[in-house]
Amino acid sequence: MDLTKCFDEIRFSIPDHVRIVAVSKTKPVSMIQELHHTRNQYSFGENKVQELISKHELLPDEIDWHFIGHLQTNKVKYITPFIGLVQSVDSFRLINEINKEGVKCNRIIPCLLQIHIATEEAKFGFSIKELREMLDNKIMEDLSHVSIRGVMGMATFTYDEKQIRTEFKTLYKYFNNLRSEYFSTNNEFCEISMGMTDDYKIAIDEGSTLIRIGSGIFGGR
Ligand SMILES: *Cc1c(COP(=O)(O)O)cnc(C)c1O
């Protein structure tokens, strides 16, 4: 199946309020252009700074680029002039750096807080405890050039659907708790980015607002 058909199948099977981020990592610019032109898809996800920069240069400015990989603080400056959403903020050091670079380019950078919900060690993200400590300390309130839009998480890589569902339920609960405790006056805190090709249906059941689909649209990598 071609990518527009794959895209349509997903688009028409999910509720309108759920947005798709087309994860284009490793895929050529021509595929991004095709989806952008034929389906009005604006949001694309990349996980490598160098690859993102090259693609950004070749594609129209209206594309809404999301960074979804582990972001090193020394590379923040390359993407802050144009990034639409940093989904993978996983440390205070990083968000502080994003803020600093936001000041420099006079942009308020939209960010999601990545929370570790999987059992695997390797995946990046805050623990809920770290996040609460950071928010309790109010150290983020001085960050004038970041806008926290919500949370992002990845489930464990497993065939056990019950476990995946439990992890997504946990992320949904964290989102709600954080919203009522720290962001109750901030309407911008509204996104729950969870769900990829193999688990987006479960994620939507459990409250996802943003799904990140790569292989399900563009084919295997
Ligand atoms: C690669 C990637 C995806 C997309 O994965 P697929 O299984 O190809 O849909 C989603 N989120 C993150 C963080 C990724 O790195």
Side-chain angles (χ1 to χ4, degrees), residues 23 25 47 68-69 87-88 114 152 154 195-198 212-217 219 221:
V23 175
K25 62 190 187 195
N47 68 344
I68 60 169
Q87 292 209 8
S88 44
Q114 183 175 354
M152 186 271 252
M154 280 164 93
M196 319 192 344
T197 298
D198 291 333
R212 308 179 308 271
I213 309 291
S215 51
I217 296 172
R221 286 182 295 271

Side-chain angles (χ1 to χ4, degrees), residues 20-180:
I20 299 175
V21 177
V23 175
S24 47
K25 62 190 187 195
T26 77
K27 300 297 177 180
V29 161
S30 59
M31 288 178 119
I32 300 176
Q33 278 168 325
E34 185 182 353
L35 204 56
H36 176 53
H37 287 149
T38 66
R39 293 301 182 270
N40 262 319
Q41 173 68 19
Y42 287 93
S43 300
F44 290 87
E46 293 284 339
N47 68 344
K48 297 254 160 45
V49 169
Q50 190 52 56
E51 185 176 348
L52 170 57
I53 295 168
S54 323
K55 287 175 173 171
H56 168 254
E57 278 173 10
L58 295 170
L59 287 159
D61 285 340
E62 68 204 24
I63 296 220
D64 170 40
W65 293 105
H66 291 205
F67 197 79
I68 60 169
H70 180 61
L71 180 56
Q72 290 171 276
T73 48
N74 61 336
K75 295 191 176 159
V76 167
K77 59 176 177 286
Y78 301 116
I79 66 168
T80 37
F82 67 87
I83 198 75
L85 182 64
V86 181
Q87 292 209 8
S88 44
V89 171
D90 58 5
S91 70
F92 179 71
R93 215 167 81 89
L94 177 59
I95 199 159
N96 201 35
E97 183 67 19
I98 294 171
N99 182 65
K100 242 173 60 191
E101 292 301 327
V103 170
K104 278 190 203 162
C105 60
N106 195 25
R107 290 185 77 222
I108 294 175
I109 315 293
C111 295
L112 301 181
L113 302 167
Q114 183 175 354
I115 306 182
H116 182 99
I117 50 169
T119 52
E120 294 137 332
E121 280 289 319
K123 290 191 175 154
F124 290 101
F126 288 103
S127 69
I128 190 68
K129 185 160 166 280
E130 284 173 313
L131 207 45
R132 282 180 183 287
E133 275 166 14
M134 187 173 85
L135 293 161
D136 285 336
N137 280 329
K138 304 201 185 297
I139 40 183
M140 272 173 37
E141 288 179 6
D142 297 331
L143 306 183
S144 56
H145 283 66
V146 293
S147 164
I148 311 285
R149 299 289 170 88
V151 300
M152 186 271 252
M154 280 164 93
T156 302
F157 186 69
T158 172
Y159 292 108
D160 182 353
E161 285 198 5
K162 254 170 73 185
Q163 182 179 352
I164 294 170
R165 191 174 292 280
T166 302
E167 291 172 358
F168 286 152
K169 275 188 201 295
T170 300
L171 186 60
Y172 184 80
K173 187 187 72 189
Y174 288 161
F175 168 80
N176 272 319
N177 293 346
L178 293 172
R179 186 171 56 173
S180 60

